[in-house]
Amino acid sequence: MGWETWFIVTLSRTLAYGTPLLLATLGEIYTERSGVLNLGVEGMMIMGAYAAFSTAYTTGSPWLGIVAGALVGGAFSLIHAFASITLKANQVISGLSLTMLGLGLSGVLGRGWEGRPLPASIPEITAPGLSKIPFLGPILFEGQNLIVYFSILLVVVMWYILYRTRIGIAVRAVGENPAAADSLGISVNKVRYLCTIVGGILAGMAGGYLSVAYRPAWTEGMTGGMGWIVIALTIFAFWNPAIGMLGAYLFAALYHLSFRLQPWVSPELLKAMPYAFAIIVLIAISRGTLHKKMGAPAALTLPYSRGEE
Amino acid sequence: MKRFPGVVASDGVNLGVRQGEIHCLLGENGAGKTTLMRILYGFYQPDSGEILLSGKPVKISSPSVALAHRIGMIHQHFRLASTLSVEENVILGVDEGMGPFLRLGKTRKRIAAITEEYGLSVDPKAKVWQLSVGQQQRVEIIKALYREADILIMDEPTSVLTPQEVDQLFTTLRILVDDGLTIIFITHKLDEVMQVSDRVTVLRQGKLVATLPTSQTDKPSLARLMVGREVVFRLEKNPPQQGEKLLEVDRLHTLSDRGLPALRDVSFEVYGGEILSVAGVSGNGQTELAEVLTGLRKATSGRILLGGKDITNRSAREITDDGVAHVPAERIKMGTVSNMSVRENLILKDYRHPPFCRGIFLNYKKAEANAQRAMAEYQIAAPSDSSAAKLLSGGNIQRMVLARELSGKPRLIVAVHPTYGLDVGATEQVRQVLLRQRERGAAILLISEDLEEVMELSDRILVMFSGRVMGILDAEEAETGEIGLMMAGGRREGVRR
């Protein structure tokens, strides 16, 4: 295998594996920007994966599967939203419980679904003409599916909303100083609910991508810790969708290389890199004003009640 | 009327405000000023009573309803999202008829028009965290004007400003009122009432005491209305009897929590029998200074000598044992253990020494006797010496802290905002206690943001800005104006460095 082919395959797989990371990270960025830390990403993803697979298997439509995954992810996030926003429970505990619940529940429900072949998965498409572009063509336009492109479009849309619209200003204000937003007539709880649900929907969709597109099959615990990488990625991205895209592909590349470089580099080392990066970022922003410059939401994990200061 | 569990915070208050006036709402802490205004702004709902706007009854169920009625509020602690830019903060929550989309061009023009008309210069693209406190307050005013507020409620707006910034604010308020705005100005400072208001309403314990035209009243009568009895304005203070040099601070440097320089080259001395005040706008290194002196923060360089002995970077316990008392700024968080009893709180410093301990056991009899004595001497009103400290009022908590810290006759007393948030009576008492310690010959370092207090109590005044000593003035000769300039960074001519 020549060097060019090697790179093309690596980057093409990076794009495919980076897509679920990207989807879920975009969601978690919105959730955290509004001041809610949801550590239940892993749980929402695996529930989404299960729902997508069983729906796709039953109906025969992988697209319906993706929709089901997104809906179940969104519904699952409501548990966290209710506990942490309405009941003002500890967000860390609530999020962790969500992960435990998702892993356990999907394991129970998914019994008997393992090893079944999916009648149809999300089709890979090859764009005629475009795929002939040297080097980039085979990476971007050959053997990828529509969700890959959708996720890239979503980066642009979600970046624009966050930084260039009234909605985005409200989301950022709620995550930074909920009292300020409240005194200007913005409903802090509503914004937080919506952002948490967006996070759930995208995490569910990411799970669905895994079970009906990336590797069309259901296995218990098939998300394999991807939800934790998403948490690390959100920090690595400085809560910015554009950097989130770079990060998702970087981490996906590391994951992919951990297999391909196995003879030379320990795969465990490469797989640990995302977490190492996240720790470096956390150390970096804990010093000085970088914290503010980089947009870390000041009210993250803090419940809001009017009149308490 | 508004009741909180067990307390009536605002009781049958009838407040009438005229269009185009500055109406001061005067009262001590806890008199119900803020509660009343929060009802007007829709944060709380009244349990009974009604609000009339231009004669029409209105129901203000939330801040957005208040905004729709063109009522704006500027909170004591600003409601700004610090990572957002000025313009983003201004347009936050404003519907400009474009759905989710922004019209930044139009927004900037309107902000420019407002800043120009009222002299509220501030860069609309700057992030809020980059602005000074005075500029942040301007952003708050711009926010209200951008929403076309007719009524502006300001909750203690001067508490964070330098005297110059206060003057500037008052000028702005005058322009606003001349333009037809109505301003409700909440304060507990009599000077401000006299300086800025057209009329004044005095509240005491949730009840309205009086509403008067400012021109027909004066400071002493307002104070009497506010406190409910005669108030002494001048403390009896004997001329200083300067003793030996007790504290010497030599080129001290330290870092803030964020790792930035908080103290730069700070040098001064405090003698026995004098009160040296540290004046400055909050956040200019005063907190860090108190912490370094009491062993709670490491100095990065420089020396601290207590009676000639080097105590730099010693532990808080060693420094306490050397006779340094600390009256911390956060008297509830730092000064006491809320869940412990008064008796236990009073021996927090001395529990390791006889007579309060026998080996590893505590001698509760002695602790109780100690508590009884302290409660009588310092007039600590508590149900009993075994009640939890959290049940005490602010004044009683502070007297308890003083009783503990001043036991054992400390050589140096570091008192940080000792009267902050206390009512007039308690304030007077705390000041008397500090003066008595001065008579006794203790060296007192008083850190305060209350200039009036600084002028009244100190023998010498040290002004800090940005972690540096801007100068040390003799209290007899010092003028508020000069101190204000130094608080804003103007260095005094011929200062000893």
Side-chain angles (χ1 to χ4, degrees):
Chain A
M1 186 161 54
W3 275 110
E4 197 184 323
T5 327
W6 193 89
F7 268 114
I8 288 172
V9 172
T10 304
L11 291 177
S12 162
R13 296 319 292 157
T14 294
L15 213 55
Y17 186 74
T19 296
L21 282 176
L22 178 54
L23 284 171
T25 302
L26 287 174
E28 183 71 7
I29 286 174
Y30 264 55
T31 307
E32 292 195 14
R33 275 285 187 175
S34 76
V36 178
L37 173 71
N38 190 349
L39 294 181
V41 179
E42 180 83 358
M44 301 188 295
M45 279 181 83
I46 193 85
M47 284 305 288
Y50 166 74
F53 183 82
S54 55
T55 306
Y57 187 90
T58 318
T59 63
S61 161
W63 293 108
L64 270 182
I66 293 288
V67 171
L71 289 179
V72 167
F76 218 58
S77 70
L78 273 175
I79 301 174
H80 181 64
F82 181 70
S84 62
I85 303 168
T86 307
L87 302 180
K88 306 183 200 307
N90 183 309
Q91 293 183 4
V92 172
I93 293 172
S94 161
L96 284 176
S97 320
L98 201 64
T99 287
M100 301 293 177
L101 179 65
L103 288 171
L105 193 61
S106 64
V108 173
L109 294 172
R111 224 169 260 167
W113 288 92
E114 297 206 25
R116 292 198 198 180
L118 206 58
S121 60
I122 301 281
E124 292 178 349
I125 50 172
T126 297
L130 287 173
S131 63
K132 297 285 181 289
I133 301 170
F135 196 68
L136 286 180
I139 298 171
L140 290 172
F141 303 110
E142 201 179 302
Q144 304 292 4
N145 62 52
L146 282 176
I147 301 174
V148 174
Y149 305 123
F150 171 74
S151 67
I152 294 170
L153 179 71
L154 209 55
V155 173
V156 180
V157 173
M158 290 182 77
W159 183 90
Y160 185 83
I161 292 177
L162 193 58
Y163 292 107
R164 293 288 184 270
T165 67
R166 281 160 33 91
I167 302 169
I169 295 178
V171 169
R172 283 184 287 141
V174 165
E176 179 66 29
N177 186 350
D182 186 29
S183 67
L184 295 175
I186 292 167
S187 165
V188 173
N189 284 2
K190 194 167 120 194
V191 170
R192 288 187 165 176
Y193 258 93
L194 288 176
C195 286
T196 307
I197 294 170
V198 165
I201 288 175
L202 289 175
M205 194 186 277
Y209 175 94
L210 287 176
S211 68
V212 301
Y214 185 73
R215 220 182 288 140
W218 164 253
T219 355
E220 190 183 338
M222 64 184 292
T223 43
M226 202 182 237
W228 299 113
I229 297 187
V230 167
I231 307 281
L233 250 173
T234 305
I235 298 164
F236 177 82
F238 297 112
W239 297 269
N240 179 332
I243 309 177
M245 180 164 87
L246 286 179
Y249 293 145
L250 173 68
F251 288 9
L254 285 171
Y255 178 83
H256 190 65
L257 288 175
S258 70
F259 295 109
R260 309 203 84 194
L261 297 180
Q262 206 151 359
W264 305 283
V265 188
S266 145
E268 287 79 10
L269 184 70
L270 287 175
K271 280 182 186 163
M273 291 314 281
Y275 306 107
F277 280 132
I279 291 171
I280 291 168
V281 170
L282 280 176
I283 293 169
I285 62 174
S286 68
R287 282 262 159 209
T289 51
L290 200 59
H291 164 84
K292 290 214 177 286
K293 274 185 202 151
M294 287 309 177
L300 190 61
T301 76
L302 302 178
Y304 175 69
S305 344
R306 184 179 284 178
E308 274 177 24
E309 271 168 285
Chain B
M1 174 148 77
K2 174 73 194 170
R3 283 192 205 88
F4 285 111
V7 206
V8 180
S10 191
D11 183 4
V13 173
N14 287 304
L15 174 69
V17 180
R18 292 181 195 142
Q19 198 240 325
E21 72 171 351
I22 299 183
H23 194 115
C24 270
L25 207 54
L26 176 71
E28 295 190 76
N29 289 294
K33 299 167 298 199
T34 304
T35 304
L36 187 60
M37 288 306 112
R38 287 189 162 188
I39 292 175
L40 268 190
Y41 195 63
F43 269 125
Y44 301 143
Q45 299 311 309
D47 299 319
S48 66
E50 61 176 355
I51 302 167
L52 303 171
L53 262 183
S54 312
K56 283 188 283 267
V58 289
K59 194 176 167 335
I60 300 175
S61 52
S62 74
S64 45
V65 178
L67 287 167
H69 285 300
R70 299 196 164 180
I71 299 172
M73 179 150 182
I74 294 170
H75 298 81
Q76 187 175 9
H77 306 284
F78 301 146
R79 299 291 169 96
L80 296 169
S82 58
T83 49
L84 270 59
S85 68
V86 170
E87 56 194 19
E88 283 174 334
N89 269 285
V90 170
I91 56 174
L92 180 62
V94 182
D95 191 350
E96 289 174 290
M98 287 280 288
F101 300 103
L102 302 175
R103 310 159 106 175
L104 276 181
K106 208 179 153 201
T107 304
R108 282 179 193 148
K109 258 188 218 149
R110 276 198 62 198
I111 296 179
I114 293 170
T115 52
E116 209 159 298
E117 186 173 354
Y118 300 107
L120 297 160
S121 71
V122 58
D123 174 12
K125 286 189 190 126
K127 300 267 192 264
V128 165
W129 62 268
Q130 297 168 319
L131 304 179
S132 73
V133 177
Q135 287 171 319
Q136 292 188 15
Q137 189 173 58
R138 271 176 243 158
V139 177
E140 284 282 28
I141 298 176
I142 294 170
K143 258 166 72 181
L145 296 176
Y146 194 87
R147 286 166 176 74
E148 301 177 331
D150 292 331
I151 301 173
L152 201 55
I153 304 169
M154 306 187 87
D155 192 357
E156 311 231 347
T158 60
S159 57
V160 288
L161 303 180
T162 63
Q164 278 74 18
E165 284 173 323
V166 170
D167 286 342
Q168 206 180 348
L169 171 70
F170 286 175
T171 313
T172 307
L173 295 188
R174 269 292 143 212
I175 303 174
L176 290 173
V177 168
D178 289 344
D179 236 36
L181 255 85
T182 306
I183 294 172
I184 303 178
F185 190 104
I186 305 176
T187 184
H188 62 257
K189 295 182 187 160
L190 297 168
D191 289 324
E192 289 176 359
V193 176
M194 299 312 295
Q195 202 180 339
V196 78
S197 69
D198 299 307
R199 291 197 305 155
V200 51
T201 290
V202 186
L203 291 178
R204 187 169 73 228
Q205 289 167 357
K207 291 197 172 67
L208 188 140
V209 184
T211 297
L212 303 160
T214 312
S215 53
Q216 290 170 27
T217 185
D218 51 24
K219 262 175 72 177
S221 14
L222 284 178
R224 201 165 44 238
L225 289 169
M226 181 163 92
V227 186
R229 59 178 171 79
E230 286 295 332
V231 179
V232 192
F233 272 99
R234 288 232 63 89
L235 282 166
E236 287 300 314
K237 191 172 137 194
N238 298 328
Q241 309 234 320
Q242 215 177 45
E244 54 172 330
K245 191 199 290 175
L246 277 178
L247 177 73
E248 187 177 354
V249 174
D250 185 27
R251 282 164 305 186
L252 196 62
H253 286 256
T254 194
L255 300 176
S256 70
D257 288 341
R258 308 184 116 194
L260 304 170
L263 292 181
R264 311 178 210 219
D265 211 24
V266 169
S267 301
F268 62 90
E269 288 142 11
V270 192
Y271 293 85
E274 75 159 350
I275 298 184
L276 174 73
S277 290
V278 177
V281 179
S282 76
N284 276 292
Q286 302 98 309
T287 319
E288 285 85 357
L289 176 63
E291 287 173 353
V292 173
L293 291 178
T294 52
L296 298 173
R297 184 180 290 273
K298 292 271 178 256
T300 47
S301 70
R303 284 195 317 159
I304 305 166
L305 300 175
L306 181 71
K309 179 183 165 194
D310 193 338
I311 58 160
T312 322
N313 290 343
R314 292 296 189 79
S315 74
R317 175 173 282 185
E318 286 173 285
I319 292 175
T320 304
D321 287 346
D322 268 335
V324 176
H326 183 200
V327 182
E330 305 230 10
R331 67 181 75 102
I332 295 172
K333 269 197 225 154
M334 243 178 116
T336 56
V337 182
S338 311
N339 283 320
M340 280 192 184
S341 67
V342 172
R343 182 200 301 165
E344 287 165 327
N345 268 289
L346 281 167
I347 58 164
L348 277 183
K349 220 170 70 167
D350 293 322
Y351 71 95
R352 292 174 297 117
H353 305 300
F356 299 121
C357 72
R358 278 179 304 215
I360 60 165
F361 298 102
L362 283 179
N363 185 342
Y364 267 90
K365 284 231 165 58
K366 292 279 194 262
E368 199 183 325
N370 174 63
Q372 295 298 346
R373 198 177 54 239
M375 285 168 71
E377 188 183 340
Y378 286 89
Q379 296 161 30
I380 305 166
S384 85
D385 68 302
S386 57
S387 343
K390 65 180 171 195
L391 299 174
L392 271 55
S393 72
N396 283 309
I397 288 179
Q398 190 67 322
R399 286 192 284 273
M400 183 176 79
V401 172
L402 284 169
R404 180 186 69 218
E405 292 300 322
L406 302 180
S407 67
K409 302 201 166 39
R411 290 192 278 175
L412 172 70
I413 300 164
V414 179
V416 190
H417 311 319
T419 61
Y420 182 83
L422 299 183
D423 61 40
V424 174
T427 299
E428 233 178 82
Q429 231 172 343
V430 169
R431 291 179 183 169
Q432 295 288 4
V433 167
L434 288 178
L435 285 177
R436 274 209 303 277
Q437 293 294 320
R438 168 178 171 268
E439 303 277 295
R440 182 175 67 76
I444 299 172
L445 186 76
L446 170 71
I447 296 181
S448 177
E449 278 155 32
D450 184 344
L451 259 190
E452 227 173 291
E453 172 167 285
V454 166
M455 300 296 277
E456 219 166 289
L457 284 181
S458 22
D459 299 303
R460 291 187 301 143
I461 301 168
L462 181 158
V463 186
M464 279 186 80
F465 172 73
S466 185
R468 291 179 210 277
V469 176
M470 301 320 284
I472 300 178
L473 311 173
D474 205 322
E476 294 289 308
E477 301 159 11
E479 283 166 28
T480 320
E482 189 182 12
I483 296 177
L485 282 177
M486 290 163 73
M487 279 163 70
R491 194 180 281 276
R492 197 185 191 203
E493 296 291 317
V495 163
R496 191 184 60 85
R497 291 294 308 277

